[in-house]
Amino acid sequence: MKPTTSRRRLNAPLLPLLAIAIAGCGGGGGGGSVGIADGGIRGTGASVGPVSGFGSVFVNGIRFETDGNVASDDGITTERQLDKGMILRVDGQWRENGEGTADRVEYDDTFRGEIADLVAVADPDNSSIRESVTFTLYGQTIVADKQTVFRGVSLQTLADADVIRVSGWRLPSGNYRASYIGALNGPASEVEIEGSIDGDPGTVGVNQFRINGFLVEFDEQNTTFEDGLTPSDLQTPGFRVEAEGEIVTLDGEPAIRATSLERDEARRYERSQGDDIEFAGPVATAYRATDRTFTINGLTVVVPSDDVFDDGLSASDLQPGLLIQVEGDFLADGRVEAEEIDIRDANAKVEGPVDTASIDPQARSFRVGGVLVRVTPLTIISDDEDDRRIGFNDLNGAFELEVEGIERSDQTGAVFLDAVKIEREPIEDAEFELTGRLTAIDSATITVLGVRIAADNSAFEDGNRALVRDLFSEGQRPLLEVEYIESPVGSNNYVADEVELEDEGTDDSDD
């Protein structure tokens, strides 16, 4: 089955992204669908991506053994201080069995400071629940949603004046997508931002520049210039830089007095001693058929053939903003030739009490509301109310789980959800909610994410069962949000309270 496309609810703040799928994700070890087999060395070089588990650290589906040390200038010096969702660069080697050895682990905040201008996007069905937020840190706009990992604060409680650290990716718009947001104690003393220098040639000051309108001042005697950066680089409009320092007032406006300056997060993706690289990030410029390339994280990626695409992904899906994972080799000219390209954006979700009887530690799977969920080495498992590191075994209990993931099917046609992120919460009620593509409909039932649910005409919002049926009969797979309960009687185990058509007119039929 071809992975399907969600254009509306799952990544609302990032629209118009093409949100498709991802090879799901583990929380601390175990199998999954990341193309791993027993064997020898698979790559030697750099692996850059969010932490998904520990023991030692999981990055891009690989369990890297480390010596416990972390290189960082942001107060993080050991593995114990890391959180899931933080984007790491690991230099080392990885093998076909999913194990790796790290020579160096490096972490750097993308932003650090005090939130302003926060705007929340509410769930259309419940205005008290946030689907996403956007906010600024000293002029730069950051977006966070349910795939973002939070620590010490949550998507629902994040507010203006909160002091946080952010690990994230730059989007094509120049805004940033947060992979991780962690609360910091105390005032915003040492702050950090990055972005492109404003202005036109000849308009940038000698000891000052602006990033998205926010003023940064530096001093050649007291500011440290990293990675070969020079003051003349900072007079180049469009040059992307990271500034770390203190907030001051200059000529009546807030500014950063830089103690350290270096190139922006694109430096994470530079060639290391080895030629191999694997990394996650949002597509910057779309795939060009003329030379079979696209850009991401400051790199140009060459697509040698369509064989590098996994799980039904195609070259035409590589549109700006789509979060993907790439594994490949550096070429002599600095481009990367892809060996494998996967998706890392969720396209479906389910939430409700976990069926504890269905938990299978060997298969690393469980069911929520009848939906089969599989956990892989890329899955991030978290609990906003619990600061402990939790994993698969911590899901066995009286918990409600919210799973963001990728709809997939196996060789038998059985549908499952590869988990991208699992959030554990206390049980509120016995109801379930899912969002996914319709796979079957008859006079009395619908089937979504492999679950057959009784749904009469009254369950459909605005009475649009006929529209949904017509779209399906035309070869489309409409995206539905279904609120439902488990029924103790009758031939169907689940009964819909409400069925809402999330989009229409999109052609997601299998090729």
Side-chain angles (χ1 to χ4, degrees):
M1 180 181 296
K2 182 178 179 179
T4 54
T5 303
S6 164
R7 291 180 173 81
R8 181 176 166 199
R9 288 283 302 285
L10 298 183
N11 287 298
L14 302 178
L15 295 179
L17 295 190
L18 175 67
I20 310 179
I22 161 179
C25 339
S33 52
V34 291
I36 293 171
D38 292 338
I41 297 297
R42 182 169 122 195
T44 300
S47 183
V48 189
V51 177
S52 59
F54 294 98
S56 291
V57 293
F58 282 76
V59 175
N60 294 329
I62 304 296
R63 179 181 179 271
F64 285 96
E65 288 288 350
T66 77
D67 62 7
N69 295 314
V70 177
S72 173
D73 59 4
D74 296 322
I76 293 175
T77 59
T78 69
E79 181 190 312
R80 292 189 300 274
Q81 295 171 284
L82 296 173
D83 285 324
K84 294 176 184 178
M86 287 181 166
I87 299 172
L88 299 185
R89 174 179 170 125
V90 180
D91 289 297
Q93 64 180 27
W94 52 97
R95 296 177 286 279
E96 292 289 349
N97 64 357
E99 301 289 319
T101 302
D103 298 322
R104 175 183 169 88
V105 177
E106 182 179 350
Y107 173 75
D108 184 35
D109 288 335
T110 312
F111 295 96
R112 191 170 60 252
E114 184 176 305
I115 288 176
D117 308 315
L118 186 139
V119 177
V121 176
D123 185 321
D125 300 319
N126 187 340
S127 60
S128 65
I129 297 176
R130 292 174 174 177
E131 285 284 302
S132 64
V133 295
T134 60
F135 58 89
T136 63
L137 277 171
Y138 314 117
Q140 286 290 44
T141 299
I142 301 162
V143 60
D145 61 15
K146 290 186 176 181
Q147 277 191 233
T148 303
V149 181
F150 291 85
R151 177 55 62 91
V153 69
S154 72
L155 179 62
Q156 307 307 319
T157 62
L158 199 66
D160 284 344
D162 283 350
V163 179
I164 60 170
R165 68 179 356 133
V166 178
S167 186
W169 297 282
R170 187 178 190 272
L171 295 168
S173 64
N175 296 340
Y176 286 77
R177 175 176 181 169
S179 174
Y180 168 85
I181 293 177
L184 296 174
N185 296 323
S189 52
E190 282 291 312
V191 304
E192 184 171 336
I193 67 169
E194 65 174 56
S196 299
I197 293 175
D198 297 346
D200 298 314
T203 64
V204 182
V206 175
N207 292 306
Q208 292 182 345
F209 59 87
R210 293 180 184 271
I211 297 177
N212 211 27
F214 199 88
L215 183 62
V216 179
E217 180 188 65
F218 63 93
D219 183 317
E220 293 187 33
Q221 279 71 47
N222 299 312
T223 301
T224 301
F225 292 82
E226 307 280 356
D227 292 330
L229 189 72
T230 67
S232 61
D233 293 326
L234 304 175
Q235 292 184 278
T236 306
F239 187 86
R240 284 159 55 178
V241 64
E242 175 189 287
E244 187 170 1
E246 60 178 341
I247 293 294
V248 297
T249 300
L250 296 175
D251 297 326
E253 67 172 305
I256 294 175
R257 179 166 288 151
T259 56
S260 173
L261 292 167
E262 58 185 321
R263 291 177 296 113
D264 80 334
E265 55 100 32
R267 67 183 186 278
R268 294 175 183 157
Y269 306 96
E270 293 178 336
R271 186 197 302 252
S272 65
Q273 291 182 348
D275 287 335
D276 300 305
I277 186 169
E278 56 179 7
F279 58 87
V283 174
T285 60
Y287 173 83
R288 297 192 312 179
T290 52
D291 59 2
R292 298 188 65 88
T293 66
F294 65 96
T295 64
I296 175 174
N297 296 339
L299 296 171
T300 297
V301 177
V302 179
V303 180
S305 74
D306 290 343
D307 293 339
V308 303
F309 294 110
D310 278 358
D311 302 300
L313 181 68
S314 67
S316 63
D317 295 325
L318 298 177
Q319 298 298 317
L322 179 68
L323 188 63
I324 64 172
Q325 181 171 316
V326 177
E327 183 170 1
D329 297 316
F330 275 103
L331 300 174
D333 61 6
R335 297 182 302 167
V336 173
E337 183 173 83
E339 294 178 348
E340 187 174 321
I341 302 176
D342 300 296
I343 308 301
R344 294 193 67 161
D345 257 325
N347 74 331
K349 70 178 181 181
V350 64
E351 57 183 294
V354 62
D355 178 0
T356 56
S358 71
I359 296 176
D360 185 339
Q362 185 173 2
R364 298 183 64 78
S365 66
F366 57 85
R367 290 184 184 270
V368 172
V371 177
L372 178 62
V373 178
R374 294 188 180 179
V375 175
T376 82
L378 290 168
T379 306
I380 293 175
I381 300 174
S382 67
D383 185 329
D384 289 344
E385 305 301 321
D386 193 331
D387 286 339
R388 295 181 304 115
R389 293 175 175 177
I390 65 171
F392 182 86
N393 293 336
D394 298 298
L395 302 179
N396 190 354
F399 300 116
E400 181 173 303
L401 304 182
E402 184 170 344
V403 182
E404 304 276 334
I406 314 304
E407 179 188 347
R408 302 196 188 281
S409 62
D410 61 21
Q411 293 179 345
T412 69
V415 176
F416 59 94
L417 195 61
D418 253 356
V420 176
K421 183 188 175 190
I422 300 171
E423 186 171 334
R424 189 185 71 174
E425 301 172 343
I427 292 180
E428 294 185 359
D429 53 47
E431 296 181 349
F432 303 98
E433 181 178 323
L434 64 76
T435 302
R437 295 283 173 183
L438 181 69
T439 54
I441 184 170
D442 58 29
S443 60
T445 69
I446 58 174
T447 301
V448 182
L449 298 182
V451 183
R452 191 165 180 252
I453 304 171
D456 59 22
N457 290 337
S458 65
F460 281 77
E461 183 186 50
D462 301 324
N464 57 15
R465 168 186 274 275
L467 173 59
V468 171
R469 185 189 60 237
D470 289 345
L471 290 171
F472 188 74
S473 65
E474 293 169 359
Q476 300 183 38
R477 295 186 57 205
L479 182 68
L480 303 180
E481 180 186 284
V482 185
E483 297 177 10
Y484 61 108
I485 60 172
E486 189 168 10
S487 174
V489 297
S491 58
N492 295 305
N493 292 329
Y494 299 100
V495 178
D497 284 334
E498 183 176 338
V499 181
E500 182 178 350
L501 178 62
E502 292 295 282
D503 66 357
E504 56 185 272
T506 58
D507 188 359
D508 292 291
S509 57
D510 292 341
D511 293 334

